[in-house]
């Protein structure tokens, strides 16, 4: 299991654990266990990341990404 | 009378549907958070009167954003029929929201949109099967179709929703419930569709470029560069032509009235006060607005704006701000009121207040034309230097806004924002819609508002200039009173008086300066702005005026919007005072430095 920060570009993964206190917004956007992430984009200074999930592209800051853990692979 | 309420994820087409249904002009665009409140209107269909309400786009119903609070408050107290819009390309999220809405509303019709895109990708949805799982009426359609509205209205009326006792998970906490419902949605989608919709390859490639580590920032700068360049070129070309045309028109109108013997004080006030000021404002404002609004609407429609927010987030985080600030700042260029309202996308109240305060430093459509005209006339010699100077000035002011934001966040003790934002799918702009929205709706309303304000202000100034107390006109007394402060700031009493009147609308500042200096002759003798130099208006005055125009209180409408949005008189006053104090200090410093440079160089 790795955090979203460590996920490589174009690597598929399945969300396994979200370790954030108030994650209502993320849950509403589909960041729940068992859902797969398809693609990752990173900003020039690597402070922001964007993920394709359920057909949407959601961008999330580094400090949030480090608390979302995924298992690499489909 | 039947009541309908439109619910759905952001960007599924609710507001577009609402506008078509009710002939309204609610703000639409391809980014999340543009619908910030509940819109309400009526329409008549087959002799049946309907009231329809459009809720802001939401992902869930759990009090985590302002939009969700608004939606929960409405849905928990209504017996309206809900139409839940689901984006067919993103079924899982749409179904999740359907189950969330079902917690509050019983009578639901689901409209699954984007049928055209799914057909293109050979995605098939078994609607009958889906109906069984959702236990409600489902309409599967492309909203672009000519008869989409009628099809939806027919089907809404044709089928009654079955009453079901949903909620085997209602007793669970939000996290567990969300997880279970999401899993259920994934299962339903797997059973009811033959394949998952895949974003077109071209869209993925554009995102690889736009959100790319090395390409994102250069592309963002390039787009903003083109935007500014087009505005300046267009403005430079047409401001003079319009000014000449209006000057000619007013001169002939005056001659005609003299010829028919129709001249008196009242007509003179209306024509050379109100009408002249309005025409001056029109000549200055129309050219930049004709290019600004269409280009900005294209950026909104295509989905570029949220991607710019993604790219600039890292830079803004250095000022304890986030990429979302760039969205409200960009909208502020059109109108500060719109920029202020758009700060509802911020979840934290303190962060939102910071965004509102810094929005006042963005040159809106009332201040931009003045900036352009002053640079063209008094500072730059050609279009290239104009572009460089205007770009430089705007960049400096944005940096000032960010610096104020940084200070505010330190004072508020705001922690680093958890920037989570959805980037919408790219959409090809519909140029007919772009022209209609940008020119017929946005530009026309902004210009009309400015013309009305400038007409009234022009008449008032014209009257005050001619009303004397002890032989001195009221305006002149004020000018004399403010002259020392004006001189200190590199301006004059006349310019400060114009800025006082500019509280009603920023665009009237320049014509009032012109009117007061030239003794009410806004267009006479084919005078142009350069004729102000006869009254001591020079390059230093122009620079100081630009500085003060970008750093002073926002207009009355913007202040009222701040009051409405924050419900705080103290904060509204703060939003007026902070930029004003900064403007005073900057002007005094800039004037001091320029005077020294001038004495050294000449």
């Amino acid at each position: 299991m790795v955090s979203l920060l460590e996920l490589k570009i174009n690597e598929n993964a399945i969300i396994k654990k979200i370790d954030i206190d108030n994650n209502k917004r993320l849950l509403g956007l589909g960041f729940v266990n068992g859902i797969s992430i398809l693609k990752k984009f990173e900003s020039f200074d690597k402070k922001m990341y964007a993920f394709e999930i359920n057909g949407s592209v959601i961008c999330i800051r580094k400090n949030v990404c480090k608390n979302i853990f995924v298992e690499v692979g489909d | 009378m039947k009541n309908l309420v439109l619910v759905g994820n952001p960007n599924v087409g609710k507001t577009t549907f609402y506008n078509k249904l009710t002939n309204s002009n609610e703000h639409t665009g391809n980014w999340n958070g543009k619908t910030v409140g509940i819109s309400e209107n009526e329409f008549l269909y087959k002799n049946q009167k309907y009231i329809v309400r459009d809720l802001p786009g939401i992902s869930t119903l759990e009090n985590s954003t302002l939009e969700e609070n608004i939606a929960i408050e409405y849905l928990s107290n209504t017996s309206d029929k809900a139409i839940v819009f689901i984006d067919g390309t993103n079924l899982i999220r749409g179904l999740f929201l359907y189950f969330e809405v079902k917690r509050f509303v019983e009578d639901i019709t689901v409209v699954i949109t984007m049928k055209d895109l799914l057909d293109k990708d050979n995605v098939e949805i078994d609607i009958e099967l889906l109906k069984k799982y959702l236990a409600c009426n489902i309409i599967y359609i492309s909203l672009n179709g000519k008869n989409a509205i009628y099809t939806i209205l027919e089907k809404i009326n044709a089928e009654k929703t079955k009453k079901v006792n949903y909620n085997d998970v209602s007793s669970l906490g939000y996290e567990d419930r969300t997880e279970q419902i999401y899993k259920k949605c994934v299962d339903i989608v797997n059973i009811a569709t033959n394949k998952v919709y895949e974003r077109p390859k071209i869209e993925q490639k554009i995102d690889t470029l736009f959100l790319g580590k090395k390409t994102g920032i250069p592309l963002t700068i390039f787009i903003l560069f083109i935007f500014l360049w087009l505005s300046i070129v267009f403005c430079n070309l047409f401001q003079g032509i319009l000014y000449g045309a209006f000057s000619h028109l007013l001169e002939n109108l005056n001659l005609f009235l003299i010829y028919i013997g129709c001249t008196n004080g009242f007509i003179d006030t209306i024509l050379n006060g109100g009408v002249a000021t309005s025409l001056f404002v029109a000549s200055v404002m129309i050219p930049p607005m004709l290019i600004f609004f269409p280009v900005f609407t294209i950026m909104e429609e295509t989905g570029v704006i949220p991607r710019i927010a993604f790219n600039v987030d890292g830079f803004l985080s250095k000022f304890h701000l986030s990429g979302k600030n760039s969205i409200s700042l960009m909208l502020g260029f059109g109108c500060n009121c719109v920029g202020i309202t758009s700060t509802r996308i911020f979840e934290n109240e303190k962060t939102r207040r910071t965004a509102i305060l810094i929005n006042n430093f963005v040159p809106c459509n009332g201040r931009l034309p003045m900036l352009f005209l002053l640079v063209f006339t008094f500072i730059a010699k050609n279009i290239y230097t104009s572009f460089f100077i205007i770009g430089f000035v705007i960049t400096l002011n944005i940096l000032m806004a960010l610096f104020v934001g940084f200070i505010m966040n330190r004072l508020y003790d705001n922690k680093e924002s958890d920037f989570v934002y959805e980037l919408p799918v790219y959409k090809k702009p519909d140029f007919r819609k772009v022209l209609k929205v940008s020119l017929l709706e946005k530009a026309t309303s902004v210009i009309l508002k400015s013309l009305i304000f400038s007409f009234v202000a022009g008449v008032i100034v014209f009257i005050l200039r001619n009303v004397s107390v002890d032989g001195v006109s009221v305006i002149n007394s004020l000018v004399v009173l403010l002259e020392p402060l004006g001189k200190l700031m590199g301006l004059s009493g006349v310019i400060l008086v114009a800025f006082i009147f500019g509280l009603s609308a920023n665009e009237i500042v320049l014509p009032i300066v012109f009117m007061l200096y030239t003794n009410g002759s806004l267009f006479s003798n084919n005078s142009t702005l350069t004729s102000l130099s006869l009254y001591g208006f020079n390059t230093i005055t122009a620079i100081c005026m630009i500085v003060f125009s970008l750093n002073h209180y926002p207009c009355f409408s913007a202040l009222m919007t701040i009051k409405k949005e924050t419900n705080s008189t103290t904060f509204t006053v703060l939003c007026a005072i902070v930029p004003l104090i900064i403007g005073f200090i900057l002007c005094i410093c800039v004037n001091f430095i320029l005077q020294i440079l001038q004495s050294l160089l000449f």
Side-chain angles (χ1 to χ4, degrees):
Chain A
M1 211 158 56
V2 295
S3 83
L4 279 182
L5 287 182
E6 293 158 79
L7 190 67
K8 290 184 185 123
I9 305 286
N10 287 333
E11 205 167 42
N12 287 6
I14 292 170
I15 300 173
K16 285 289 172 190
K17 189 183 153 204
I18 302 175
D19 202 5
I20 301 164
D21 285 342
N22 186 3
N23 62 359
K24 283 180 180 175
R25 177 122 178 83
L26 277 169
L27 287 170
L29 289 167
F31 279 81
V32 291
N33 292 339
I35 296 279
S36 53
I37 288 169
L38 289 169
K39 191 168 181 174
K40 179 181 173 182
F41 303 96
E42 55 187 26
S43 69
F44 79 107
D45 52 3
K46 292 195 172 187
K47 283 191 172 176
M48 279 286 286
Y49 296 90
F51 304 93
E52 240 186 80
I53 180 164
N54 293 334
S56 313
V57 182
I58 313 286
C59 50
I60 309 175
R61 261 194 178 164
K62 190 179 179 178
N63 57 330
V64 183
C65 287
K66 71 175 185 205
N67 295 322
I68 301 174
F69 298 92
V70 293
E71 200 172 85
V72 179
D74 286 322
Chain B
M1 177 100 71
K2 281 188 178 176
N3 291 307
L4 303 174
V5 57
L6 313 181
V7 197
N9 292 132
N11 281 326
V12 286
K14 296 180 302 299
T15 308
T16 307
F17 179 73
Y18 172 87
N19 282 344
K20 281 185 183 171
L21 212 56
T22 59
N23 273 328
S24 307
N25 293 321
E26 292 299 329
H27 186 194
T28 58
N30 192 12
W31 54 280
N32 297 355
K34 67 222 158 271
T35 307
V36 284
I38 301 177
S39 312
E40 182 184 317
N41 212 333
E42 294 177 0
F43 69 95
L44 202 67
Y45 182 68
K46 289 192 174 172
N47 295 325
Q48 172 71 55
K49 198 172 178 184
Y50 290 84
I51 292 183
V52 59
R53 293 175 183 90
D54 179 26
L55 296 191
I58 43 172
S59 299
T60 177
L61 286 169
E62 195 56 35
N63 280 327
S64 64
T65 63
L66 192 65
E67 290 99 331
E68 284 167 21
N69 288 342
I70 292 170
I72 291 171
E73 203 179 309
Y74 186 80
L75 292 175
S76 52
N77 296 304
T78 185
S79 55
D80 295 359
K81 182 182 189 70
I83 305 179
V84 177
F85 283 80
I86 293 181
D87 179 347
T89 64
N90 201 337
L91 264 180
I92 297 171
R93 259 183 71 194
L95 292 183
F96 172 74
L97 182 65
Y98 164 79
F99 286 117
E100 283 286 275
V101 175
K102 196 86 182 171
R103 288 164 52 210
F104 298 93
V105 185
E106 208 153 69
D107 191 5
I108 299 178
T109 291
V110 166
V111 176
I112 300 179
T113 63
M114 314 281 179
K115 186 174 183 299
D116 47 345
L117 289 181
L118 295 176
D119 287 346
K120 224 182 214 175
D121 196 35
N122 297 319
V123 178
E124 287 167 16
I125 303 176
D126 188 337
I127 298 296
E128 290 309 314
L129 194 63
L130 211 53
K131 274 183 185 174
K132 279 182 194 162
Y133 280 109
L134 304 190
C136 76
N137 179 21
I138 299 176
I139 303 164
Y140 182 32
I141 202 164
S142 162
L143 286 179
N144 294 330
K146 274 185 184 171
N147 297 318
I149 291 178
Y150 304 110
T151 312
I152 292 172
L153 287 175
E154 282 298 320
K155 289 195 176 174
I156 283 172
N157 289 322
E159 292 184 45
K160 285 265 179 214
T161 309
K162 292 165 207 151
K163 284 193 176 180
V164 287
N165 286 325
Y166 159 74
N167 267 352
D168 45 342
V169 288
S170 57
S171 55
L172 297 175
Y174 181 67
E175 286 187 25
D176 293 333
R177 196 179 74 228
T178 306
E179 204 173 309
Q180 289 217 14
I181 298 177
Y182 252 111
K183 278 178 182 161
K184 186 175 168 179
C185 295
V186 172
D187 290 342
I188 293 174
V189 170
N190 285 338
I191 296 166
T193 60
N194 62 334
K195 62 179 264 203
V196 176
Y197 173 79
E198 217 177 295
R199 287 207 310 152
K201 289 270 180 294
I202 179 79
E203 218 175 90
Q204 294 184 17
K205 278 182 185 165
I206 297 173
D207 257 347
T208 310
L209 273 178
F210 224 129
L211 306 179
K213 209 164 63 171
K214 288 174 185 160
T215 46
I217 292 285
L219 252 175
T220 301
I221 293 172
F222 178 72
I223 286 174
L224 297 176
F225 177 94
I226 294 287
F227 190 20
L228 187 63
W229 174 252
L230 284 176
S231 303
I232 289 172
V233 169
F234 202 76
C235 198
N236 191 38
L237 265 176
F238 291 101
Q239 267 181 344
I241 294 172
L242 272 184
Y243 183 86
F246 289 148
S247 169
H248 200 64
L249 176 77
L250 204 70
E251 202 181 316
N252 285 327
L253 209 57
N254 270 313
L255 286 174
F256 176 72
L257 289 174
I258 292 168
Y259 178 72
I260 61 168
C262 186
T263 50
N264 58 41
F266 176 72
I267 290 176
D268 195 33
T269 306
I270 295 294
L271 197 64
N272 295 311
V275 175
T277 314
S278 296
L279 289 180
F280 188 102
V281 168
S283 70
V284 174
M285 275 193 77
I286 290 174
M289 293 305 103
L290 288 186
I291 200 75
F292 177 89
F293 281 117
V295 176
F296 196 82
T297 309
I298 289 173
M299 282 166 66
E300 271 195 285
E301 289 290 317
T302 46
V304 163
I305 286 185
R307 280 159 177 93
I308 292 179
F310 172 86
N311 284 323
V312 299
D313 181 73
F315 176 67
L316 295 186
S317 70
K318 294 184 185 1
F319 297 87
H320 291 218
L321 300 167
S322 80
K324 281 185 190 173
N325 284 93
S326 70
I327 296 177
S328 61
L329 288 174
M330 279 188 276
L331 290 170
F333 275 97
C335 174
N336 286 148
C337 298
V338 179
I340 291 160
T341 319
S342 73
T343 58
R344 290 187 188 182
I345 55 174
F346 289 92
E347 287 127 41
N348 176 314
E349 184 58 26
K350 286 177 179 175
T351 323
R352 189 171 173 231
R353 286 196 173 199
T354 304
I356 289 176
L357 178 65
I358 67 172
N359 197 272
N360 300 320
F361 291 89
V362 176
C364 63
N365 57 54
R367 293 186 260 184
L368 263 185
M370 174 159 58
L371 167 67
F372 286 2
L373 199 59
L374 286 172
V375 171
F376 294 155
T377 316
F378 292 100
I379 304 171
K381 289 206 169 87
N382 57 47
I383 190 89
Y384 302 104
T385 9
S386 299
F387 175 73
F388 175 76
I389 291 168
I390 291 169
F392 180 70
V393 168
I394 292 176
T395 310
L396 276 186
N397 236 65
I398 295 292
L399 287 175
M400 170 58 75
L402 302 184
F403 177 69
V404 173
F406 174 74
I407 303 280
M408 279 290 287
N409 277 335
R410 289 297 291 265
L411 290 175
Y412 275 143
D413 197 22
N414 277 351
K415 287 176 189 156
E416 196 178 5
S417 144
D418 292 343
F419 182 68
V420 176
Y421 195 68
E422 187 177 347
L423 304 180
V425 293
Y426 288 104
K427 282 183 188 161
K428 222 190 270 176
D430 174 351
F431 284 100
R432 262 176 46 194
K433 188 186 163 196
V434 166
L435 290 179
K436 183 177 166 266
V437 170
S438 60
L439 297 182
L440 293 179
E441 291 166 14
K442 290 183 188 167
T444 310
S445 75
V446 165
I447 290 167
L448 271 180
K449 186 201 99 187
S450 308
L451 294 185
I452 293 167
F453 271 109
S454 52
F455 180 84
V456 175
V459 168
I460 293 171
V461 172
F462 202 83
I463 292 170
L464 289 179
R465 207 173 48 82
N466 292 310
V467 173
S468 303
V469 177
D470 296 332
V472 184
S473 82
V474 176
I475 287 269
N476 276 349
S477 312
L478 201 56
V479 168
V480 171
L481 185 74
L482 293 172
E483 189 65 23
L485 179 64
K487 281 271 171 265
L488 183 70
M489 295 166 65
L491 304 170
S492 67
V494 164
I495 298 172
L496 287 184
V497 167
F499 272 107
I500 292 173
F501 280 95
L503 181 65
S504 60
N506 281 301
E507 43 273 43
I508 65 170
V509 171
L510 207 52
I512 289 179
V513 168
F514 205 47
M515 186 192 280
L516 291 177
Y517 270 132
T518 59
N519 223 11
S521 313
L522 260 176
F523 285 100
S524 65
N525 305 322
N526 286 330
S527 55
T528 61
L529 209 61
T530 40
S531 61
L532 286 183
S533 53
L534 296 172
Y535 308 93
F537 197 106
N538 53 26
T539 309
I540 295 180
T541 324
I543 294 172
C544 292
M545 194 167 164
I546 287 172
V547 171
F548 196 60
S549 78
L550 297 178
N551 301 282
H552 73 291
Y553 41 76
C555 70
F556 186 71
S557 312
L559 287 172
M560 285 298 100
T561 312
I562 296 170
K563 173 78 176 64
K564 190 180 150 204
E565 290 295 315
T566 60
N567 203 19
S568 163
T569 310
T570 318
F571 185 73
T572 309
V573 172
L574 187 81
C575 285
I577 287 177
V578 170
L580 187 64
I581 292 173
I582 291 174
F584 277 134
I585 296 170
L586 280 180
C587 273
I588 292 169
C589 295
V590 169
N591 181 37
F592 182 71
I593 294 166
L594 290 177
Q595 295 290 354
I596 289 177
L597 281 176
Q598 196 183 33
S599 61
L600 287 174
L601 293 171
F602 304 104

